[in-house]
Amino acid sequence: GNSDTGGGGSGDGGNDKIVLGFSQVGAESGWRTANTNSIKESAAAAGIDLKFDDAQQKQENQIKAIRNFIQQKVDVIAFSPVVESGWDTVLKEAKDADIPVILTDRSVDSADKSLYKTFIGSDFVKEGRLSGEWLVEQTKSATGPVNIVELQGTTGSAPANDRKKGFTEAIAANPNLKIVASQSGDFTRAGGKQVMEQFLKANPKIDVLFAHNDDMGLGALEAITAAGKQPGKDITIITIDAVKDGMQALADGKFNFIAECSPLLGDQLMELVKKVHAGEEVPARVETEETTFTQEQAKAALPTRKY
Ligand code: AHR
């Protein structure tokens, strides 16, 4: 992957700085870019020496980056695991080297919770559930079937697994609501566009699109418009994240609802890094506060939106 060190110009006192190795998922979405910026800015502000690696959405790159951090004897390792499974070996290596690990944004499914100190991020199941509950409310007077297509995030990732779970559980309240097609668009605009084109070809009647992030929803807009349909009217669109471009689409009436997922984890992460480094107790889970947006709420929030 691409490595660089953040927060330059440390001068003579550089040796006293906490060294944090951070392995990022990639640069797949607007959310991810905002998250990376937040981490770099917060590290610089906190006086933490950040070694940043971009894994380009590949687990093998993340494992390599973590092994490099262990070899370099960084003080703390943080990472956002691209998928949930397959981390036990490398996490054990970090533990054996006495380097504390913090999970950021996405979680792992390791049974041994002693392999990491804490998790900071969102409740993805809740985001899916809030999306589904909004749809149940919108369609409560529908008499016939409501056909839903789902653009899933990266296969095997915590946000894809959890958002699907929360949404599916919520829509079970209305038997008219049916997911007629569901496929991964890998959290990217290009993926969202391509998979939505296939959905539109294969399904004559699509009433709702549930996209696991804004970027896939934004890609799907192009496919929907090209198919001669009006996004937000002919097809109700629900997404997750609430990054600027998504909020703009919502304010413009092209999206109908967004469940927020905050990428601004940097400050809280640096606090946890300092505590873990000092050997202080930290909570097992630190959750971000989030909300949801309708079209009217997006119009009101957009002018002051930070990302
Ligand atoms: O893990 C968070 C998810 O990853 C965001 O919702 C998505 O946009 C990003 O790619």
Side-chain angles (χ1 to χ4, degrees):
N2 313 318
S3 288
D4 62 65
T5 50
S10 60
D12 294 325
N15 289 345
D16 301 335
K17 280 189 168 184
I18 299 174
V19 179
L20 168 66
F22 186 87
S23 165
Q24 179 61 292
V25 169
E28 74 281 5
S29 63
W31 189 99
R32 190 62 55 193
T33 304
N35 180 246
T36 291
N37 291 340
S38 166
I39 287 161
K40 287 186 174 172
E41 283 165 21
S42 298
I48 287 173
D49 181 3
L50 175 69
K51 304 204 176 299
F52 182 90
D53 186 274
D54 174 342
Q56 301 177 343
Q57 294 241 73
K58 290 201 177 79
Q59 181 171 34
E60 73 226 54
N61 291 346
Q62 283 201 299
I63 291 175
K64 244 185 252 164
I66 293 168
R67 291 204 166 120
N68 277 336
F69 294 148
I70 295 172
Q71 230 168 32
Q72 293 170 45
K73 298 189 168 43
V74 301
D75 296 309
V76 180
I77 292 172
F79 80 115
S80 178
V82 57
V83 291
E84 282 188 287
S85 302
W87 299 102
D88 290 27
T89 306
V90 72
L91 288 178
K92 254 198 117 284
E93 289 167 22
K95 195 183 172 188
D96 291 344
D98 265 330
I99 301 175
V101 172
I102 300 175
L103 302 178
T104 307
D105 156 45
R106 297 184 184 179
S107 199
V108 298
D109 64 5
S110 303
D112 181 358
K113 307 286 179 225
S114 79
L115 293 176
Y116 53 91
K117 295 287 178 199
T118 180
F119 163 87
I120 172 175
S122 308
D123 183 341
F124 297 135
V125 178
K126 184 174 164 197
E127 292 164 356
R129 194 178 64 235
L130 292 171
S131 303
E133 284 171 357
W134 179 82
L135 184 62
V136 167
E137 177 62 26
Q138 292 299 304
T139 53
K140 63 177 180 231
S141 53
T143 49
V146 176
N147 291 345
I148 305 166
V149 295
E150 179 182 32
L151 281 168
Q152 293 185 42
T154 301
T155 305
S157 70
N161 293 341
D162 293 354
R163 287 169 183 168
K164 181 172 190 57
K165 179 172 189 278
F167 184 79
T168 307
E169 283 171 6
I171 64 166
N174 181 350
N176 282 325
L177 298 176
K178 268 202 198 74
I179 299 179
V180 294
S182 179
Q183 211 181 297
S184 173
D186 215 13
F187 280 131
T188 66
R189 283 193 196 205
K193 181 177 179 214
Q194 197 202 324
V195 176
M196 191 67 202
E197 280 166 1
Q198 294 169 27
F199 284 167
L200 285 159
K201 268 185 210 144
N203 301 276
K205 179 181 177 283
I206 296 174
D207 303 301
V208 178
L209 164 64
F210 171 49
H212 288 190
N213 79 344
D214 286 345
D215 279 77
M216 290 191 295
L218 291 163
L221 287 183
E222 294 177 43
I224 293 168
T225 313
K229 294 190 197 273
Q230 260 195 296
K233 301 220 161 58
D234 299 328
I235 299 180
T236 298
I237 302 180
I238 303 166
T239 68
I240 294 174
D241 277 354
V243 295
K244 263 230 174 84
D245 290 352
M247 290 288 273
Q248 189 64 57
L250 186 58
D252 292 345
K254 293 173 181 165
F255 285 0
N256 303 78
F257 187 77
I258 302 181
E260 184 184 39
C261 179
S262 175
L264 305 181
L265 304 177
D267 286 349
Q268 278 172 295
L269 173 61
M270 298 313 147
E271 280 307 306
L272 289 169
V273 167
K274 286 182 185 168
K275 285 195 175 147
V276 157
H277 181 60
E280 286 172 35
E281 281 293 309
V282 290
R285 219 183 143 82
V286 179
E287 258 168 37
T288 347
E289 271 188 44
E290 283 152 1
T291 183
T292 59
F293 296 96
T294 60
Q295 292 174 338
E296 288 313 311
Q297 289 165 332
K299 278 182 206 157
L302 250 180
T304 55
R305 204 75 187 149
K306 289 201 189 68
Y307 54 90

